[in-house]
Amino acid sequence: LAKHPEIKALMKPDYNLIWVVVLMVLAQLTAFYLVKDLDWKWVIFWAYVFGSCISHSMTLAIHEISHNSAFGNKKAMWNRWFGIFANLPLGLPYSISFKRYHMDHHRYLGGDGIDVDIPTNFEGWFFCTPFRKFIWIVLQPFFYAIRPLCINPKPITRLEIINLLAQLSFDVVIYYFWGVKSTFYMLAGSVLGLGLHPISGHFIAEHYMFLKGYETYSYYGPLNMLTFNVGYHNEHHDFPNIPGKNLPLVKKIAAEYYDNLPQYNSWIKVLYDFVMDDTISPYSRMKRHLKGEVKQD
């Protein structure tokens, strides 16, 4: 910032995010209706080909909203309510809990017992062969859901209960009016989109140490268009209050800080290399033992 103070001008809400999220919710509602009478094979096909992409993209919209990118820091609660709305087509309550744990990830990156993005010792010990690492990728939604309860359980908040009740109500409505196929499409899209899917390469690309000494990596490929530029991950951790829309401008302005860092152009290759490289496993993360006072969200 001392060298490039113009970056401060990028620290503002992205109001376009609001309309993008609304359109994504409407797109999924339309899909729920269209699949309700299809054969099961086509329900599964569209859940993976279309629903999974929208669902994973929506989780990254929720990531943006968790940083107050939709309405700004002065309207933090507006962002929380909007996150609950964005959560609806995923089928599983996610938004409020994600925000609480994700803020810890930014404050205490790699913090042992705090950052639940770090795999457990069991994951590192067991998923150590190519086949087991492949299964681990398939089961990523399960591990991301259960890991916080094992590593850093937090008291349930009022907003989390509201998130849960709103989600259950929405799911019941979808099942009542459009039936089991629409409900399956919704849930399967979320599970498949966060598991064995090209976009899921970002889970591994962001912080797994393929090169010693580098614990955060950026991806500059085309899938950023579906993921709110989450691939610009060094830039995001440097400036978490800058919306994803503006992160390419950060890289352009401060190119001397980012261009020479290790980077990716394919999340699919990241997944392949993770499975096939015997030197990489869930253990391949920087873990820190925190000292001093820890303030969690």
Side-chain angles (χ1 to χ4, degrees), residues 90-107:
L90 296 178
L92 300 168
Y94 164 81
S95 177
I96 299 301
S97 296
F98 171 79
K99 187 262 190 301
R100 298 180 71 197
Y101 284 104
H102 188 63
M103 295 304 102
D104 293 340
H105 170 69
H106 275 275
R107 293 188 189 108

Side-chain angles (χ1 to χ4, degrees), residues 123-178:
E123 292 171 72
W125 169 76
F126 185 78
F127 296 100
C128 57
T129 68
F131 176 73
R132 290 181 184 180
K133 287 190 287 183
F134 175 82
I135 296 300
W136 184 78
I137 289 173
V138 173
L139 297 178
Q140 275 191 109
F142 169 79
F143 287 112
Y144 271 97
I146 203 73
R147 194 184 295 145
L149 303 178
C150 299
I151 294 179
N152 186 19
K154 297 185 178 187
I156 296 175
T157 65
R158 181 178 65 91
L159 276 178
E160 285 175 303
I161 294 173
I162 293 172
N163 193 176
L164 172 63
L165 294 177
Q167 191 63 62
L168 289 176
S169 300
F170 179 83
D171 295 351
V172 168
V173 168
I174 294 298
Y175 178 78
Y176 179 81
F177 285 102
W178 292 336

Side-chain angles (χ1 to χ4, degrees), residues 189-231:
S190 296
V191 173
L192 294 171
L194 296 170
L196 186 62
H197 196 281
I199 297 177
S200 291
H202 82 85
F203 288 132
I204 294 170
E206 289 168 358
H207 296 296
Y208 282 77
M209 296 181 66
F210 283 78
L211 294 175
K212 290 184 178 181
Y214 295 92
E215 61 177 302
T216 302
Y217 301 77
S218 289
Y219 156 83
Y220 299 123
L223 289 177
N224 277 307
M225 292 186 290
L226 298 177
T227 57
F228 301 91
N229 286 327
V230 75

